[in-house]
Amino acid sequence: MRAVAHLPKTTTGVTVHPAGGAAAPSRGSGFWVIGAVLVLLMLSSSVPSALYVLYQQKWDLSAGVITVVFALYAVTVLGGLLLFGSLSDTLGRRPVLGAGLVLAIVSMALFAGAQGLGWLLAARAVQGLAVGLATGAMGAGLLELAPRSRPALGAQVNSAGPTVGIGLGGLGAGLLVQYGPAPTALSYLLLIGAFALALIGVVRMGESAPGAARPGRGFSLSPHRIGVPAPVRRRFAVLVLTIVAVWSVGGFYLSLGPHLALSLLQSTNYLVGGATVALLAGAATTAQLFLGRTEALRTAVLGLCGLLAGLALVLLALGARSAAVFLIGTAVLGAGWGAAFLGSFRALSALAEPAHRGELTAAVYVFAYLAMSVPAVLAGLLTNIHGLHRTSVGFMTAVAAVCAVALWMTLRLAARTRAEGNTP
C-alpha cells in the first residue's frame, strides 16, 4: 500500500484511503468516536493537576516531587510513542486504540485507590503509556475519517481535542474536589465508566488505516518507526518549534499553574487551580474554533503573537503581583496557545503520505511531550531553590524567547511558501 501517488488529496494535503483496499469505513461514527477518545484521554491527563495541591498537603510532597509526578506521565507518553508510535499503521487503528483505553482504565483505578506517592507514580506511568500508545492512532484516524465535506475537520479536532479535554478535566476535577465526596477518587471512578463506553465505540467502529494488517500478515512489537520524510524535514523543523513553545506553556500550567494561581489569588479553594487550567484551555479552544478556516501558517503566526502578548501580561502580573492581570494574561496566553497549535498542526499534518501518517504524527507528539515535561521538571526543581515566583518569571521569559524565534522562522516560511505559489 505504498503506491499512493495517484490517489486524490484533500485541501489539507491529506490523502484519504479506504482501509486495506476494502470498502471505506463509516466516517461519521468512527471520526467522532476517535474524537471522544482524544478528549477523554486529555481530560484524564489534566485531572491530577487539580489534585496536586491536595496530594501535596495530604502526603507532604514538595513542588519538585509534584513536577516529577507530572513529568513521569510525559516520559511514559514518549516511551509509548517511541515503541508504538507507528504501530497502528500496520496493526490498525482500532486494536491500538482499544489497548490504549484498557490501559487508561487501569491507570484510573490506580489513581482512585492511591495511598501515597508510589501509587501516584504508578498511575501516572500507566496513564502515560496509554496516551503514548493511542496518540499516533488517534491523530492518523482523525485525518483519515474526517467528513469529505469538511476535510480540514480532522486537523481541527486533532488540535482542539487536547485543549477541550484539558479544560474540562481541570474545571470538572476542581469542582468535584472542592464540592464532591471522595475528592481523590470520584473523578477517576467517573472516568472509568467513560472509558468503558469509549471502548465499546472503538470495538464497533470501522478500520481506516490503509496499511492495516490483513489475515496472514505478521507484525512485530519491536520499536516502531517515528520519522520525518527527508524532503519535508526543513519545514518540519520550523513548524515543530511552535509546538515546543506551545507545550512548554501547557506543561508549566498543568504542573505549577494551580499553585501559582492560588498564591496570586490568595485562595485555598481547590477550584481555583482547576479553573486556571480551564481558563487557559478554554481560551485555546475558542481561538481554534474562531480560526478554523484561516490558512495554517497565518493561524500559527497569529497564535505566536498571542503567546508573546500573553507571556508579557503574565510577567507583568508577576511583577505587580496582580491576580486580575494574571487571569487576563492566562486567557490571552491560552488563545495564542490554541491558535499556534492549530496552525502548526494543520501545516504539519499535510506533510506525510497516508501509509506513514502515524509515524509523522507520533514525531510531532514526541517534541510536544518533551517540551511539556523537561521544562516543567526544571521549573519544579528551581522552585525548591528560588521559589515559585522567581522561577515563574524565568520560565516565562525563556518561553517568550522561543516564541520570538519561532515567529521569525514561521514568517520566513510563509513568505517562501507564497513565493513558490503554494497556499500557506
Side-chain angles (χ1 to χ4, degrees):
M1 292 303 294
R2 293 182 180 272
V4 297
H6 302 294
L7 293 173
K9 290 188 177 182
T10 70
T11 57
T12 62
V14 177
T15 308
V16 178
H17 288 248
S26 172
R27 289 176 167 269
S29 60
F31 178 82
W32 294 113
V33 166
I34 296 177
V37 171
L38 174 60
V39 170
L40 281 173
L41 284 173
M42 295 300 101
L43 188 157
S44 71
S45 74
S46 68
V47 165
S49 295
L51 280 80
Y52 282 148
V53 176
L54 184 58
Y55 292 141
Q56 191 172 7
Q57 295 171 351
K58 187 176 180 180
W59 295 319
D60 193 27
L61 306 177
S62 68
V65 169
I66 290 297
T67 54
V68 169
V69 173
F70 168 79
L72 180 61
Y73 161 76
V75 169
T76 50
V77 170
L78 285 173
L81 285 168
L82 292 170
L83 288 172
F84 311 115
S86 64
L87 181 61
S88 71
D89 286 338
T90 53
L91 185 59
R93 313 299 182 209
R94 290 171 63 242
V96 173
L97 286 173
L101 286 170
V102 170
L103 286 175
I105 290 172
V106 172
S107 71
M108 294 300 100
L110 288 170
F111 271 122
Q115 299 296 318
L117 177 60
W119 286 72
L120 289 184
L121 293 172
R124 244 350 194 169
V126 176
Q127 184 182 41
L129 184 58
V131 174
L133 178 62
T135 292
M138 291 187 297
L142 286 169
L143 296 175
E144 291 156 352
L145 294 175
R148 289 190 176 89
S149 60
R150 298 181 63 189
L153 190 60
Q156 285 179 269
V157 174
N158 259 311
S159 58
T163 57
V164 170
I166 288 170
L168 290 175
L171 185 60
L175 284 168
L176 292 174
V177 169
Q178 185 64 37
Y179 302 112
T184 59
L186 182 57
S187 298
Y188 303 118
L189 294 175
L190 292 174
L191 279 168
I192 288 175
F195 280 131
L197 290 175
L199 182 58
I200 294 172
V202 167
V203 170
R204 294 170 61 88
M205 64 179 265
E207 182 55 69
S208 66
R214 303 178 184 84
R217 177 177 175 177
F219 62 90
S220 171
L221 289 179
S222 59
H224 282 247
R225 296 168 308 201
I226 292 179
V228 180
V232 300
R233 284 176 185 167
R234 184 176 179 181
R235 187 181 182 95
F236 179 91
V238 172
L239 294 168
V240 85
L241 190 59
T242 300
I243 298 289
V244 169
V246 166
W247 286 102
S248 294
V249 171
F252 180 86
Y253 265 81
L254 285 170
S255 57
L256 295 177
H259 299 269
L260 187 59
L262 288 168
S263 173
L264 287 173
L265 294 170
Q266 297 182 340
S267 173
T268 58
N269 190 315
Y270 296 113
L271 179 58
V272 169
T276 302
V277 173
L279 176 61
L280 181 82
T285 302
T286 301
Q288 289 169 338
L289 294 174
F290 184 74
L291 296 171
R293 297 183 182 274
T294 306
E295 293 168 338
L297 291 182
R298 185 174 299 172
T299 302
V301 167
L302 290 172
L304 287 165
C305 291
L307 280 171
L308 284 169
L311 288 166
L313 285 170
V314 172
L315 284 169
L316 177 62
L318 292 172
R321 296 191 180 274
S322 170
V325 177
F326 173 74
L327 293 175
I328 295 171
T330 296
V332 174
L333 192 59
W337 178 35
F341 185 46
L342 172 64
S344 56
F345 191 92
R346 283 178 59 193
L348 286 163
S349 69
L351 299 181
E353 296 179 357
H356 304 286
R357 194 171 292 139
E359 291 180 34
L360 188 130
T361 302
V364 171
Y365 280 102
V366 164
F367 283 94
Y369 282 104
L370 277 173
M372 177 186 282
S373 59
V374 175
V377 171
L378 290 175
L381 295 175
L382 289 173
T383 295
N384 293 334
I385 301 171
H386 300 292
L388 180 59
H389 185 271
R390 290 181 63 188
T391 299
S392 299
V393 170
F395 181 91
M396 297 298 174
T397 303
V399 174
V402 175
C403 287
V405 174
L407 177 59
W408 174 68
M409 294 179 68
T410 304
L411 286 170
R412 290 188 61 188
L413 176 62
R416 187 166 63 249
T417 303
R418 284 193 296 270
E420 294 170 354
N422 299 319
T423 300

